[in-house]
Amino acid sequence: MLTNAVITLFNRYPDKEQKKIVYLPHRIDWAWYHVSRKTTPSQGGLISSDEHMIRIPFDQCADWKTVDQFATGQKGTCWTVQNGDLFIQGEWCGGEVTGIDDLKKQYSGVVGVVKSHSENFVGSSPHIRISGGA
């Protein structure tokens, strides 16, 4: 699989001590990233938005866990992909964040939310597929 980007995923994680949801960052060094502009008609005119497509090759999934395994794992030792997780195109040098607004305040590049995902681990090019929006 052709790769063209560094991606940082932010997994939702319940912080039981602070009693709030935090997002834990995990850098993916080799991923395929593409963004396209989608336009849809609405009652008030046309609405356009960015559609992000990310593919993470299987060889980048060494610490990946299913959602259930991630929920019971030790904080910061593994990662997963869930709808509602956050992502940026590039490397994140900070720590955990509390949501997309917090992330947008601290990062000036592409920031998005995972809208759908699938684990495609069979075939000639196994990968995790992520679709997202801003």
Side-chain angles (χ1 to χ4, degrees), residues 33-38 49-53 115 131-134:
Y33 174 83
H34 176 74
V35 64
S36 60
R37 172 80 57 188
K38 296 294 178 185
S49 62
D50 289 339
E51 181 178 282
H52 304 268
M53 299 299 293
K115 293 185 176 180
S131 294

Side-chain angles (χ1 to χ4, degrees), residues 69-113:
Q69 292 170 329
F70 177 76
T72 59
Q74 186 175 353
K75 180 179 174 180
T77 61
C78 57
W79 62 279
T80 192
V81 179
Q82 308 172 72
N83 293 351
D85 283 349
L86 308 176
F87 64 86
I88 63 171
Q89 181 189 12
E91 184 175 346
W92 177 253
C93 297
E96 57 190 46
V97 295
T98 57
I100 194 162
D101 292 333
D102 186 25
L103 187 56
K104 285 181 177 181
K105 285 179 191 172
Q106 299 180 53
Y107 188 75
S108 61
V110 173
V111 176
V113 178

Side-chain angles (χ1 to χ4, degrees), residues 26-66:
H26 179 80
R27 188 182 76 235
I28 308 292
D29 290 321
W30 299 101
W32 178 82
Y33 174 83
H34 176 74
V35 64
S36 60
R37 172 80 57 188
K38 296 294 178 185
T39 305
T40 55
S42 73
Q43 210 170 18
L46 295 175
I47 297 174
S48 63
S49 62
D50 289 339
E51 181 178 282
H52 304 268
M53 299 299 293
I54 300 169
R55 304 284 189 274
I56 302 170
F58 184 71
D59 63 0
Q60 296 292 305
C61 298
D63 298 328
W64 176 84
K65 303 292 183 198
T66 65

